[in-house]
Amino acid sequence: MVGEERDFRTGESIGLTIGSAVLWGVAHIATGRQRTGFALMTLYLVVVAFIITLATAFRGQLLSLAVRPSWLMGLTIAIASIAVIWSVVILWSFWLVRPATAGRSAAAATAGLLCLLIIAPSAWATRLAYVSHDVVSSVFSATSTTPVVAMDPWNGAPRVNILLVGADAAANRVGVRTDSMTVASVDTATGATTLFSLPRNLEQVQLPKGPARERFPYGFTGEGPQTPGLLNEVYQYAEDHPEMVPGVRAGHRGSTLLKETVSDILGIPVRYYAMVDMAGFAEMIDAMGGVKITINEPIVYGKYNEGLLPAGTRKLSGAEALWYGRSRTNSDDYVRMGRQKCLLNAVAQQADPVTLLNSFERLATATKRAISTDIPQDLLPALVDLGQKVKGTHIRSLQFVPPLISTADPDWNLIRDKVADALEDRPTGPKPATAKPSSTPGSTPSATPSPQGPISLDQVCG
């Protein structure tokens, strides 16, 4: 029998419709459809139990699942399907217990509102899953040069080394300059991380064996006044000269040669890279609502001293954070390198889930524009798990800058020894700096001392 035959009053109809939204099948049982009602209840309880189990027992794996494109697509379909089924159950229940004509409008409005309350958050969650899928698919490679094994994604390697590059393209320069180059060396078991920073103005850089070294047998010297031969020019030089990295397609030549070059400098295998465009990085910071930084001394920025970042702890906008990380006014490259590490550390620590969710679409759009990498999609779950371990450790940093290293005439053996000491956690002792005097006219040594061993970023970033 339908509602009119059972003569449901308006209040009863509204109550049963709401009850059916909370527990499927209530209205069906009330109208004598026990078999259908109990079937709907069972289905509802199965769905709820699955969601609760997923959110509790598998809570630690949810973040890893969120970077799997196939799982994200399945989640998108599942959320949309549940929302549609739930809405159908609500409307079906209303139809069964609809009151006489006098109160039908109020009951219908209630049913419509309940459907809206189900569809709106489901649509938001579906959109979130779809955007996540789009970001993962756009930024990360679908194929891996090395098969990723679920039981051991790092193939037995005790550490994974990733080159983090800050790239700056400007209207007054040709191509891209990699002005910030840092290798994050992460212990795959504990998450213990050491950052090795190379200054952009390293000279006489030895390129890897093959066509690159054949062209520059005594170190990279560039080609004319536009490329005087600094480390930050290697990326664009490789992109402009395909013969330097034969068999590698455009857009990947620069990163390939830069990874191999940095591997040789540090004496460790650099497996992956991630490059962030600095303007896009500012957009990402704006999307997350700014970043809180402790500024130890006032920072003047701009070619003509257009602005000032006062000392103290404050929240910086994307543009201000960009100046914090790139300004060299009244300082030098090496002070700037230290600030860049503090900035990256602050962004990593402050990118909490609530902040990311609140500005997810803006952040996703900025990320697609700002980041390029060769990290494969199938490695992302393991990388996310490793990132959780890194968050619980004190990140250490070692910068190869004067007086430890002369950028004009680097001691490559000393660099490799320092890296080995840091990764084996050997005390460096009172070794004196062995930097050689600069042979480049007009070069200015940094007034910023370089530590003999890695230091915790907590000690310098506040």
Side-chain angles (χ1 to χ4, degrees):
M1 292 185 293
V2 298
E4 288 181 324
E5 295 171 333
R6 292 287 302 272
D7 195 22
F8 286 100
R9 292 188 292 272
T10 302
E12 290 176 326
S13 176
I14 291 175
L16 287 170
T17 303
I18 294 174
S20 296
V22 176
L23 178 61
W24 298 352
V26 169
H28 289 73
I29 292 175
T31 56
R33 295 167 172 81
Q34 278 82 4
R35 185 176 296 179
T36 304
F38 285 121
L40 287 172
M41 282 185 180
T42 302
L43 177 59
Y44 175 82
L45 292 174
V46 168
V47 171
V48 170
F50 175 76
I51 293 172
I52 291 175
T53 303
L54 201 63
T56 54
F58 297 96
R59 185 177 180 180
Q61 288 76 40
L62 287 180
L63 200 55
S64 299
L65 291 174
V67 292
R68 295 180 184 269
S70 57
W71 191 88
L72 286 169
M73 184 55 67
L75 179 63
T76 302
I77 295 171
I79 293 173
S81 300
I82 290 173
V84 169
I85 293 171
W86 207 321
S87 299
V88 169
V89 170
I90 291 172
L91 295 175
W92 188 7
S93 301
F94 158 72
W95 184 255
L96 292 176
V97 297
R98 65 192 187 280
T101 306
R104 189 172 296 177
S105 297
T110 300
L113 179 60
L114 289 171
C115 290
L116 183 62
L117 291 175
I118 295 298
I119 291 173
S122 299
W124 177 80
T126 302
R127 174 67 179 169
L128 202 66
Y130 174 80
V131 171
S132 299
H133 176 274
D134 184 46
V135 170
V136 172
S137 300
S138 300
V139 175
F140 299 95
S141 171
T143 57
S144 175
T145 54
T146 304
V148 176
V149 181
M151 295 300 293
D152 183 15
W154 310 112
N155 295 318
R159 305 189 73 87
V160 59
N161 305 307
I162 302 174
L163 175 61
L164 308 175
V165 180
D168 213 349
N172 61 348
R173 64 169 54 160
V174 178
V176 172
R177 295 292 182 266
T178 56
D179 285 344
S180 174
M181 288 160 284
T182 298
V183 171
S185 182
V186 188
D187 188 302
T188 54
T190 66
T193 301
T194 302
L195 304 179
F196 298 109
S197 303
L198 295 170
R200 70 183 184 90
N201 57 339
L202 272 184
E203 299 179 36
Q204 305 177 36
V205 177
Q206 188 177 55
L207 299 181
K209 291 181 180 179
R213 188 175 295 183
E214 290 170 7
R215 174 169 292 194
F216 298 102
Y218 306 109
F220 181 62
T221 56
E223 194 172 67
Q226 290 295 323
T227 53
L230 307 181
L231 178 60
N232 72 334
E233 300 159 6
V234 170
Y235 178 95
Q236 189 61 44
Y237 194 89
E239 288 293 337
D240 294 339
H241 297 80
E243 67 278 7
M244 294 278 283
V245 195
V248 180
R249 68 182 188 275
H252 295 264
R253 299 175 190 131
S255 59
T256 299
L257 185 60
L258 187 60
K259 279 195 304 181
E260 293 175 356
T261 301
V262 171
S263 291
D264 285 351
I265 292 174
L266 300 179
I268 56 177
V270 177
R271 190 170 176 185
Y272 304 108
Y273 88 99
M275 185 165 70
V276 182
D277 171 75
M278 297 310 291
F281 187 61
E283 287 184 44
M284 292 169 66
I285 290 176
D286 280 332
M288 60 181 282
V291 60
K292 186 179 290 185
I293 289 286
T294 297
I295 302 174
N296 297 320
E297 297 179 0
I299 299 172
V300 177
Y301 62 82
K303 187 175 181 179
Y304 302 103
N305 297 347
E306 291 94 339
L308 174 71
L309 299 177
T313 300
R314 64 191 70 256
K315 180 166 281 192
L316 304 182
S317 67
E320 290 171 332
L322 194 57
W323 280 116
Y324 171 84
R326 79 191 328 182
S327 177
R328 283 179 290 166
T329 307
N330 300 329
S331 61
D332 53 32
D333 271 331
Y334 316 122
V335 172
R336 180 174 73 165
M337 286 171 62
R339 290 200 303 265
Q340 289 170 353
K341 303 304 164 294
C342 293
L343 182 59
L344 288 173
N345 188 51
V347 170
Q349 295 298 325
Q350 295 170 38
D352 61 276
V354 174
T355 298
L356 298 182
L357 282 175
N358 287 339
S359 54
F360 190 78
E361 289 212 36
R362 285 183 63 201
L363 193 58
T365 301
T367 299
K368 286 166 60 178
R369 285 202 294 261
I371 295 180
S372 57
T373 181
D374 60 354
I375 296 174
Q377 292 175 13
D378 51 5
L379 190 66
L380 289 179
L383 200 59
V384 168
D385 291 339
L386 188 60
Q388 296 304 304
K389 295 178 183 178
V390 172
K391 274 200 168 186
T393 66
H394 294 293
I395 300 175
R396 302 191 302 166
S397 178
L398 178 57
Q399 299 185 144
F400 295 108
V401 299
L404 178 63
I405 297 296
S406 166
T407 57
D409 190 13
D411 187 335
W412 307 115
N413 289 327
L414 177 61
I415 291 176
R416 286 188 281 270
D417 286 345
K418 291 293 184 182
V419 170
D421 288 344
L423 296 184
E424 293 180 22
D425 208 19
R426 295 195 297 248
T428 56
K431 279 185 184 178
T434 59
K436 302 175 185 179
S438 173
S439 59
T440 304
S443 64
T444 305
S446 169
T448 306
S450 176
Q452 295 298 303
I455 59 173
S456 169
L457 285 187
D458 293 342
Q459 296 173 339
V460 295
C461 297

